[in-house]
Amino acid sequence: MSDRGRTTVVVDGKAISAEIRGGLASQVRRGVEAGLRPPCLAVVLVGDDPASTSYIKGKRRACGRVGIESREIDLAATASEAEVLAAVESLNRDAGVDGILVQLPLPKAVRPERVAAAIDPAKDVDGLHPLNAGRLVAGLPGPRPCTPLGILEILDRHGVALEGRRAVVLGRSAIVGKPVSLMLLERNATVTVCHSRTRDLADRVREAEVLVAAVGRARMVRGDWIRPGAAVIDVGVSVVDGQLVGDVDFEAALGVAGLITPPRGGVGPLTITMLLRNTVEAWRARLGG
Ligand code: GUN
């Protein structure tokens, strides 16, 4: 029997973001009025992947609206790893830069782990430097990856309890799956991480009171995999027939889930907002603002 009688809360990531960005803009304004230079985020783009180009445009616009300066270094798709590392090192040395983000994915010739390790950990607004990843594992403060931060913000703002709850994370990437698993664990959830080799995946997902899907496979989570009343956070972004779809069959989840993020205007705006917040925090730590 389906259990589609329930009202599902559809998360408005734009509204949550607007509120947080308003607070960030005030912090920046106060710092600048007190005589500080504005925060500065530097983005390195290698190649011209259309999705990356469009993300960066969105980031630049979002920075401008809260008073963060943005800089961009564009390298050709044929750039060597050494060239990318040299660009990162020049930004590390630049006292006017607070945050550095190297847009992923990178061309095959450039190893993302080498690039992450080259970024000054104090400017690592993606939270991907091994030192910052280690701080997360150790339970120490440090910059956390933006999408996991956004996920926690959504759950907290909707009053979703985590302590003692069963959370299932689909995907084990360094940027979403692993860090969000650790952050849910830090909040005392009981966390199961599922991946491409997991057996009985549907049964694992059905146990989830909180589900985070971050694999990038269009609509792989069917409606009948969702536990009635679950909080469903869908990070996946795929394009099917020109339409943006998530890892979860959104239409089928409506009426079953207690809360769900939509494919557009769900987690995405929060990821950018958390990037802005990490940049403002790096700026305050650097300048004491
Ligand atoms: N590409 C897609 N999302 C991200 C992100 O959060 N950080 C970086 N560096 N690249 C991305």
Side-chain angles (χ1 to χ4, degrees):
M1 191 193 85
S2 77
D3 180 80
R4 294 195 57 145
R6 134 187 355 254
T7 306
T8 303
V9 172
V10 177
V11 171
D12 185 345
K14 283 191 188 162
I16 299 173
S17 287
E19 205 179 309
I20 300 172
R21 290 182 196 189
L24 293 172
S26 317
Q27 281 186 51
V28 171
R29 197 175 341 103
R30 281 196 300 273
V32 171
E33 280 166 8
L36 300 179
R37 63 157 176 78
C40 174
L41 172 69
V43 175
V44 179
L45 174 65
V46 188
D48 52 8
D49 172 63
S52 291
T53 310
S54 119
Y55 284 144
I56 288 180
K57 220 169 104 190
K59 284 172 194 164
R60 198 186 310 126
R61 193 172 335 119
C63 279
R65 291 196 178 136
V66 302
I68 298 176
E69 281 182 4
S70 44
R71 277 203 222 165
E72 204 177 308
I73 297 187
D74 290 326
L75 298 174
T78 52
S80 66
E81 189 174 88
E83 284 174 88
V84 178
L85 295 177
V88 168
E89 275 148 22
S90 79
L91 295 169
N92 285 345
R93 284 191 301 270
D94 189 331
V97 170
D98 302 295
I100 302 171
L101 177 142
V102 179
Q103 182 67 34
L104 301 172
L106 287 162
K108 279 208 175 57
V110 186
R111 290 167 289 180
E113 65 279 8
R114 285 293 303 274
V115 173
I119 295 171
D120 176 347
K123 297 188 179 187
D124 175 30
V125 286
D126 257 335
L128 293 176
H129 187 283
L131 184 73
N132 291 325
R135 284 175 171 152
L136 171 58
V137 174
L140 298 171
R144 306 294 198 225
C146 303
T147 300
L149 281 176
I151 292 170
L152 269 290
E153 203 65 46
I154 290 171
L155 293 171
D156 285 343
R157 281 172 185 256
H158 285 276
V160 176
L162 295 172
E163 179 147 337
R165 307 289 292 288
R166 272 183 298 212
V168 172
V169 176
L170 289 185
R172 53 177 158 179
S173 66
I175 196 162
V176 184
K178 280 183 197 165
V180 81
S181 303
L182 289 164
M183 288 160 69
L184 290 165
L185 182 61
E186 203 165 46
R187 298 286 299 276
N188 299 317
T190 299
V191 183
T192 303
V193 184
C194 299
H195 45 79
S196 52
R197 311 285 169 88
T198 297
R199 276 185 280 131
D200 305 320
L201 181 62
D203 291 337
R204 298 289 74 74
V205 172
R206 282 189 192 104
E207 291 166 353
E209 294 172 285
V210 176
L211 174 66
V212 176
V215 288
R217 286 186 52 196
R219 298 192 184 111
M220 70 168 286
V221 176
R222 332 287 319 177
D224 66 354
W225 292 19
I226 293 169
R227 184 188 170 99
V232 178
I233 307 290
D234 190 355
V235 179
V237 180
S238 308
V239 178
V240 176
D241 300 330
Q243 199 195 343
L244 212 60
V245 301
D247 288 347
V248 178
D249 185 340
F250 179 76
E251 301 301 329
L254 288 176
V256 182
L259 169 149
I260 191 167
T261 59
R264 195 183 281 283
V267 178
L270 264 302
T271 295
I272 295 186
T273 302
M274 295 299 112
L275 172 67
L276 304 176
R277 193 169 84 185
N278 280 351
T279 303
V280 170
E281 284 176 6
W283 168 74
R284 288 174 56 170
R286 175 167 299 275
L287 301 184

